[in-house]
């Protein structure tokens, strides 16, 4: 056989092949060692199932830690996180979060010899309806959604111990508050998908408290009324978004580290009930330099290679920079801070996209306003910073606090940027690593019936829910509408009679219990069509090493938060857990309005009138949270009673606004341009196009598009249109103008930033119209439209 000789080219190719193989093997080894991709864990046992981490075959093997179990047993998967949690005292029936009865020993994750946690982050859209629904927060009739300024997101963080045994989930959602119904449904779906991996005790859902998100996701009658009905469309959208964010976090878990930092934020908040704060004992106030909590707590999350994963920040401030004249759905100042942070970390991505997740979560914001210029009489300009927030001329309706900006959008940006800047500094210098075990404790409590041990000889009780007169007054951030005044301690015969006629008389027992609150609505005694307020609430703590997150089912005032933090910290210390950092996480799990101190309660401003379980509500919570802290510290969580399960009501009252078909003017169709863009704009101007519209609520049940609009730039080199903005961008506004019998217009604005590149642009509109043919079910049909191209010039 003739000897085969290789050409130069062949020799080179063989060499290249050998080198590439070597490099590939080396890279795979490095990846295997450093990332600890647990998805590959099973592969070590089953070489024939080799797959990339992105390849997931079934829900049960969907990801990282979830796949630690043997692939054949769903139940072993479920046991991964259940060690410290479900109580042995469980006696009642099936629940949304009950653990499966079959338990097996979980296999440890492959990669577990490191200090830190498996960390996953996820963000998903949860905007819901942006039309034909009230905005949640100000309870102002007629303040309904008519478009969108920014999208709302659910931001989820999953953390697990290196051995994969214990895990906790923290979710911050751009909504007014988490409702009980929302929470129960989310837990239900998590259970369906993950067994008992994610449960009532180790999942916290917290609302940012934006007052510019849609309402309609509640089951208790007070909130159904404030929402003007229940919206299944919005509810579904939110549940889906929250669950999706958790799924994303679950899927992309990787070994990493958490660093904590704290610092003071100046110039972002004022106390909106300073006279109430002054009711607290002088000796107590003397310990603090301010009547608001100025400390921001920041968590920095990164993987073992130092690649940044996410941020959680907690800070006490009401997201009410956008006032009650706003009609565009948006995430307010806290959402703007998230937006800036994520835009910076997700370079090259549109808002709402990219792997990095930054949550700005709520805290003890009950009496904290971002409208730092304070309350003034809008008619005379005088200060109305008094105990009744009332003006000499015009009364309380004239007393309004304003923010630092020229208008509410500007104020939102200023406050949001302050939060973002400070978080950025604290994040950059965060060097204290959080280490130690994860734990979780949770109870359902009947808050109408808690006996509080005031001291060694005296006890007190919580009350059935009731709202006081000053609840109807609203606040300096949003007046209530009728002529009610904050600080009212005596009822009014006119309103009392009206209430008695319509709703019946409150019992002597409830009146006595709530004193000195004059009861306007005895919600705890109203049960038609469903109870007006919750009896059963969640109390919950999760701990991440030396950090304890207390999940508060409402809005604590500044001093309430301080008392709870101190009491919980002391409780931990008493039982051997020294120097714990306690964070108040606000608006969690179920909404119960406000919680003031006993002393603040006496002044009966808005926050006190909205402390629905009576004067001892805070003391009850302190007692309950101390119980949870003790259980964690003494490793006796399993002995905690589970408590009574909250109800899940059927047949809620739906919105009275009918779903009607959309109609275009004769000779036109949906998306036709009615008012074109100008041919040319300068940077700093506003490009605007008006289209034949359709009700955007159709799009909340038909997610063929993730955005109502795009702004696109023509790239000559590639002859393509590149998307530069979507409807989550702060620069864009989507206004929906409702006309008669199904007719509507849509106006899209692009506030062209000074940084915009000169060039050719266009605006696109994506919608859904509702159509119904005779004797057929209604359908929603997607449509889209594009403006004529226009030019942007810099001067
Ligand atoms: Zn509030």
């Amino acid at each position: 056989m003739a000897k085969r000789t290789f050409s130069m080219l062949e020799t080179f190719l063989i060499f290249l092949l050998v080198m590439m193989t070597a490099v590939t093997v080396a890279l795979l080894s490095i990846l295997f060692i450093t990332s600890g991709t647990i998805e590959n864990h099973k592969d070590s046992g089953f070489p024939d199932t080799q797959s990339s981490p992105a390849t997931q075959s079934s829900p049960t093997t969907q990801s990282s830690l979830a796949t630690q179990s043997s692939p054949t047993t769903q139940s072993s998967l479920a046991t991964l996180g259940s060690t410290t949690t479900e109580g042995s005292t469980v006696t009642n029936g099936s629940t949304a979060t009950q653990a499966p009865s079959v338990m097996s020993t979980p296999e440890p994750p492959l990669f577990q010899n490191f200090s830190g946690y498996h960390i996953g982050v996820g963000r998903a859209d949860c905007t819901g309806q942006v039309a034909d629904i009230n905005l949640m927060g100000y309870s102002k009739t007629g303040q309904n959604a008519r478009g969108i300024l920014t999208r709302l997101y659910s931001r989820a963080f999953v953390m697990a111990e290196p051995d994969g045994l214990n895990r906790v989930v923290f979710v911050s959602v751009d909504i007014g508050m988490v409702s009980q119904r929302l929470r129960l449904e989310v837990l239900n779906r998590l259970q369906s998908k993950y067994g008992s991996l994610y449960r009532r005790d180790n999942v916290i859902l917290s609302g940012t408290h934006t007052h510019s998100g849609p309402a309609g996701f509640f089951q208790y009658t007070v909130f159904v009324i404030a929402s003007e009905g229940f919206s299944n469309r919005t509810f579904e959208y939110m549940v889906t978004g929250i669950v999706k964010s958790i799924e994303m976090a679950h899927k992309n878990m990787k070994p990493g580290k958490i660093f904590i930092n704290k610092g003071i934020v100046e110039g972002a908040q004022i106390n909106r009930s300073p006279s109430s704060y002054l009711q607290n004992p002088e000796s107590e106030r003397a310990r603090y330099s301010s009547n608001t909590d100025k400390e921001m707590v920041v968590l920095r999350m990164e993987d073992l290679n130092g690649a940044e994963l996410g941020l959680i920040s907690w800070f006490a401030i009401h997201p009410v920079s956008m006032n009650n004249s706003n009609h565009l759905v948006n995430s307010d100042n806290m959402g703007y801070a998230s937006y800036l942070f994520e835009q910076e970390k997700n370079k090259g991505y549109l808002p709402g996209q990219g792997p990095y997740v930054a949550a700005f979560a709520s805290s003890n914001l009950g009496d904290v306003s971002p409208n730092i210029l304070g309350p003034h009489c809008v008619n005379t300009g005088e200060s109305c910073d008094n105990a009744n927030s009332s003006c000499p001329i015009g009364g309380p309706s004239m007393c309004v606090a304003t923010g630092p900006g020229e208008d509410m959008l500007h104020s939102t940006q200023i406050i949001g940027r302050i939060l973002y800047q400070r978080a950025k500094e604290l994040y950059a210098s965060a060097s204290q690593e959080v280490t130690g075990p994860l734990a979780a404790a949770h109870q359902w409590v009947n808050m109408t019936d808690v006996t509080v041990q005031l001291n060694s000889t005296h006890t007190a009780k919580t009350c059935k829910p009731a709202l006081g007169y000053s609840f109807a007054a609203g606040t300096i951030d949003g007046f209530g509408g009728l002529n009610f005044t904050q600080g009212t301690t005596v009822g009014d015969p006119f309103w009392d009679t009206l209430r008695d006629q319509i709703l019946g008389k409150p019992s002597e027992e409830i009146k006595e219990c709530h004193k000195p609150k004059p009861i306007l609505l005895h919600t705890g005694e109203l049960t038609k069509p469903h109870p007006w307020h919750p009896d059963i609430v969640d109390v919950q703590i999760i701990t991440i090493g030396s950090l304890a997150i207390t999940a508060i089912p409402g809005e604590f005032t500044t001093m309430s938060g301080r008392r709870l933090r101190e009491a919980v910290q002391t409780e931990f210390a008493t039982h051997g857990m020294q120097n714990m950092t306690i964070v108040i996480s606000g608006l969690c799990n179920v909404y119960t309005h406000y919680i003031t101190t006993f002393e603040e309660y006496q002044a009966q401003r808005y926050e006190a009138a909205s402390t629905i379980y009576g004067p001892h509500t805070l003391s009850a919570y302190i007692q309950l949270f101390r119980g949870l802290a003790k259980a964690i510290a003494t490793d006796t969580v399993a002995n905690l009673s589970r408590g009574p399960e909250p109800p899940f009501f059927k047949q809620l009252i739906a919105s009275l606004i009918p779903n009607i078909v959309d109609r275009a003017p004769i000779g036109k169709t949906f998306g036709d341009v009615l008012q074109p863009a100008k041919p040319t704009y300068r940077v700093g101007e506003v490009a605007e196009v008006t289209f034949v519209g359709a009700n955007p609520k159709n799009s909340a049940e038909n997610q063929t598009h993730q955005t109502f609009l795009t702004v696109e730039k023509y790239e000559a080199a590639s002859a393509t249109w590149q998307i530069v903005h979507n409807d989550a961008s702060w620069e864009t506004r989507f206004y929906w103008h409702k006309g008669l019998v199904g007719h509507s217009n849509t106006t899209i604005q692009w506030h062209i930033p000074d940084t915009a590149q000169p060039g050719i642009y266009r605006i696109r509109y994506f919608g859904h119209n509702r159509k119904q043919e005779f004797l057929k079910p209604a359908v929603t049909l997607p449509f889209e439209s594009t403006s004529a191209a226009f030019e942007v010039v810099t001067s």
Side-chain angles (χ1 to χ4, degrees):
M1 202 185 257
K3 195 178 175 190
R4 171 84 161 88
T5 53
F6 294 98
S7 70
M8 270 292 270
L9 182 65
E10 283 169 326
T11 311
F12 176 69
L13 284 174
I14 290 165
F15 174 74
L16 203 64
L17 191 68
V18 171
M19 284 306 289
M20 279 172 67
T21 309
V23 169
T24 306
V25 168
L27 282 175
L28 279 173
S29 312
I30 290 167
L31 182 76
F32 191 67
I33 292 161
T34 57
S35 78
T37 39
I38 302 154
E39 287 87 351
N40 291 339
H41 146 239
K42 281 191 306 174
D43 304 340
S44 59
F46 307 97
D48 54 336
T49 61
Q50 193 75 36
S51 66
S52 77
T55 315
Q56 277 118 20
S57 49
S58 77
T60 55
T61 60
Q62 203 139 27
S63 83
S64 53
L65 291 179
T67 61
Q68 292 154 15
S69 55
S70 125
T72 54
T73 54
Q74 164 81 28
S75 58
S76 64
L77 182 160
T79 61
L80 274 171
S82 66
T83 49
T84 64
T85 49
E86 292 298 331
S88 55
T89 54
V90 175
T91 52
N92 47 357
S94 71
T95 74
T97 56
Q98 198 171 7
S101 52
V102 183
M103 299 288 222
S104 63
T105 311
E107 290 177 36
L110 186 72
F111 192 81
Q112 51 179 311
N113 293 321
F114 67 101
S115 82
Y117 306 97
H118 298 278
I119 303 167
V121 303
R123 176 189 51 248
D125 182 25
C126 65
T127 307
Q129 265 176 256
V130 302
D132 278 357
I133 196 161
N134 245 26
L135 296 179
M136 190 64 205
Y138 294 111
S139 295
K140 185 183 169 192
T141 309
Q143 198 205 355
N144 45 15
R146 294 180 204 156
I148 181 169
L149 170 61
T150 65
R151 273 196 182 263
L152 309 180
Y153 294 103
S154 172
R155 295 178 170 89
F157 303 83
V158 179
M159 288 148 274
E161 288 174 0
D163 65 6
L165 279 178
N166 291 322
R167 66 173 62 195
V168 295
V169 182
F170 181 80
V171 186
S172 175
V173 196
D174 289 331
I175 53 176
M177 58 285 290
V178 173
S179 76
Q180 186 175 76
R181 193 176 189 82
L182 208 49
R183 159 128 167 132
L184 291 174
E185 186 60 24
V186 166
L187 289 177
N188 213 359
R189 295 201 193 172
L190 290 174
Q191 189 197 25
S192 303
K193 181 153 190 179
Y194 299 105
S196 67
L197 198 58
Y198 300 118
R199 309 170 306 267
R200 66 184 171 93
D201 63 303
N202 69 355
V203 176
I204 291 180
L205 305 182
S206 168
T208 63
H209 203 36
T210 174
H211 281 42
S212 299
F217 52 95
F218 303 85
Q219 64 176 3
Y220 291 96
T221 302
V222 161
F223 311 126
V224 176
I225 293 171
S227 302
E228 297 177 4
F230 177 77
S231 164
N232 197 51
R233 191 187 279 121
T234 293
F235 179 74
E236 266 301 313
Y237 200 103
M238 286 176 172
V239 169
T240 306
I242 294 169
V243 170
K244 189 176 170 191
S245 68
I246 296 171
E247 287 170 358
M248 292 168 83
H250 174 95
K251 279 181 193 170
N252 67 27
M253 287 177 86
K254 55 182 76 166
K257 290 180 182 293
I258 300 174
F259 297 91
I260 190 169
N261 204 358
K262 302 166 206 170
I264 299 300
V265 183
E266 293 288 356
Q269 11 128 283
I270 58 166
N271 190 306
R272 69 183 186 188
S273 288
S275 56
S276 294
Y277 180 87
L278 286 173
Q279 298 286 314
N280 295 309
E282 194 177 352
S283 56
E284 183 182 34
R285 285 183 283 117
R287 296 169 52 209
Y288 304 98
S289 60
S290 170
N291 62 3
T292 58
D293 270 342
K294 294 185 172 185
E295 188 173 77
M296 176 184 272
V297 177
V298 162
L299 296 186
R300 173 194 169 103
M301 299 172 186
E302 56 184 48
D303 72 13
L304 292 185
N305 301 318
E308 300 172 69
L309 302 174
L311 153 97
I312 309 176
S313 125
W314 287 273
F315 186 65
I317 191 168
H318 254 80
V320 291
S321 290
M322 299 293 287
N323 62 41
N324 65 10
S325 68
N326 168 56
H327 291 276
L328 294 181
V329 166
N330 72 84
S331 51
D332 211 284
N333 47 37
M334 298 287 260
Y336 189 67
S338 282
Y339 172 86
L340 293 175
F341 215 103
E342 289 179 353
Q343 284 293 93
E344 182 188 307
K345 298 295 179 187
N346 291 320
K347 283 253 159 41
Y349 286 93
L350 289 167
Q353 299 173 15
Y356 188 90
V357 180
F360 282 73
S362 60
S363 191
N364 52 325
L365 48 63
D367 50 358
V368 187
S369 167
N371 294 314
I372 55 176
L373 298 185
H376 287 84
C377 302
V378 289
N379 48 356
T380 64
E382 297 166 83
S383 170
C384 50
D385 198 358
N386 55 51
N388 303 111
S389 296
S390 187
C391 291
I393 302 166
S397 65
M398 291 293 132
C399 182
V400 178
T402 51
E406 292 160 11
D407 55 35
M408 60 180 170
L409 283 103
H410 191 214
S411 294
T412 303
Q413 286 182 288
I414 293 172
I415 298 298
R417 190 168 284 280
I418 291 172
L419 303 177
Y420 153 76
Q421 284 288 3
R422 192 67 182 113
K424 190 175 158 179
E425 291 162 12
L426 294 170
Y427 178 90
S429 59
S431 58
Q432 185 192 336
E433 188 177 352
V434 180
T435 56
L438 302 176
H442 171 275
Q443 283 181 304
W444 281 308
V445 177
N446 182 348
M447 268 308 280
T448 71
D449 189 25
V450 179
T451 301
V452 184
Q453 196 71 42
L454 294 176
N455 53 45
S456 58
T457 53
H458 287 74
T459 60
K461 294 254 316 198
T462 54
C463 314
K464 287 182 183 172
L467 290 163
Y469 266 73
S470 302
F471 162 74
T475 70
I476 56 171
D477 294 321
F479 175 63
L482 298 164
N483 203 29
F484 289 92
T485 305
Q486 291 202 66
T488 299
T489 50
V490 183
D492 179 281
F494 171 77
W495 291 110
D496 279 355
T497 307
L498 193 67
R499 173 201 61 211
D500 295 351
Q501 301 266 321
I502 299 170
L503 301 169
K505 287 187 174 181
S507 69
E508 287 306 314
E509 179 203 347
I510 200 170
K511 286 202 293 203
E512 194 60 36
C513 191
H514 280 270
K515 277 183 176 174
K517 177 199 286 176
I519 291 176
L520 180 65
L521 289 171
H522 48 307
T523 52
E525 297 179 336
L526 304 175
T527 54
K528 298 276 187 273
H530 294 294
W532 282 41
H533 266 143
D535 286 353
I536 297 161
V537 307
D538 302 64
V539 291
Q540 182 184 16
I541 298 179
I542 61 178
T543 58
I544 306 167
S546 59
L547 173 70
I549 304 170
T550 58
I552 306 298
E555 308 179 46
F556 268 28
T557 60
T558 301
M559 197 61 97
S560 294
R562 288 170 177 166
R563 287 189 193 172
L564 183 94
R565 281 201 303 260
E566 189 167 274
V568 170
Q569 188 180 45
T570 303
E571 190 71 30
F572 273 121
T574 304
H575 299 284
M577 290 175 75
Q578 310 293 331
N579 301 318
M580 293 289 286
T581 295
I582 316 296
V583 160
I584 302 276
S585 177
L587 291 307
C588 292
N589 301 338
V590 50
Y591 187 58
T592 64
H593 300 259
Y594 286 73
I595 300 96
T596 65
T597 66
F598 177 83
E599 294 84 352
E600 291 164 353
Y601 187 89
Q602 308 308 311
Q604 280 299 305
R605 279 176 60 88
Y606 173 80
E607 295 83 11
S610 308
T611 298
I612 61 173
Y613 301 108
H616 300 289
T617 307
L618 175 62
S619 302
Y621 279 125
I622 288 175
Q623 186 171 297
L624 290 161
F625 277 94
R626 281 178 59 184
L628 299 179
K630 182 181 175 184
I632 290 175
T634 57
D635 200 12
T636 54
V637 174
N639 299 336
L640 282 175
S641 84
R642 178 192 186 89
E645 191 158 338
F648 193 86
F649 302 137
K650 294 200 167 67
Q651 293 176 336
L652 299 171
I653 298 168
S655 167
L656 295 176
I657 301 172
N659 296 315
I660 60 172
V661 297
D662 292 287
R663 290 195 170 84
I666 293 165
K668 293 201 181 296
T669 187
F670 300 104
D672 279 0
V673 173
L674 295 170
Q675 187 80 48
K678 292 196 293 185
T680 307
Y681 296 95
R682 286 179 216 290
V683 293
E685 290 186 328
V686 180
E688 184 176 297
V689 189
T690 298
F691 301 88
V692 174
N695 194 324
K697 75 179 173 185
N698 301 326
S699 301
E701 57 191 272
N702 193 334
Q703 300 193 25
T704 51
H705 302 304
Q706 289 296 318
T707 183
F708 286 108
L709 65 93
T710 54
V711 175
E712 301 179 2
K713 181 174 185 294
Y714 187 70
E715 297 297 341
S718 56
T720 54
W721 290 92
Q722 296 294 320
I723 299 171
V724 292
H725 296 290
N726 55 15
D727 65 6
S729 302
W730 185 263
E731 288 81 5
T732 60
R733 318 270 153 86
F734 176 88
Y735 293 96
W736 184 65
H737 314 284
K738 187 175 188 174
L740 294 173
V741 289
H743 290 274
S744 66
N745 293 345
T746 291
T747 298
I748 294 174
Q749 287 184 349
W750 176 29
H751 292 243
I752 307 169
D754 293 340
T755 52
Q757 297 288 314
I760 305 298
Y761 289 84
R762 66 182 189 184
I763 288 172
R764 299 181 77 198
Y765 167 32
F766 304 91
H768 293 86
N769 63 292
R770 185 180 177 87
K771 185 181 175 185
Q772 186 155 31
E773 288 173 354
F774 188 61
L775 292 177
K776 285 186 177 172
V779 289
T780 58
L781 304 171
F783 65 89
E784 55 187 75
S785 175
T786 306
S787 77
F790 54 87
E791 188 177 13
V792 171
V793 296
T794 47
S795 59

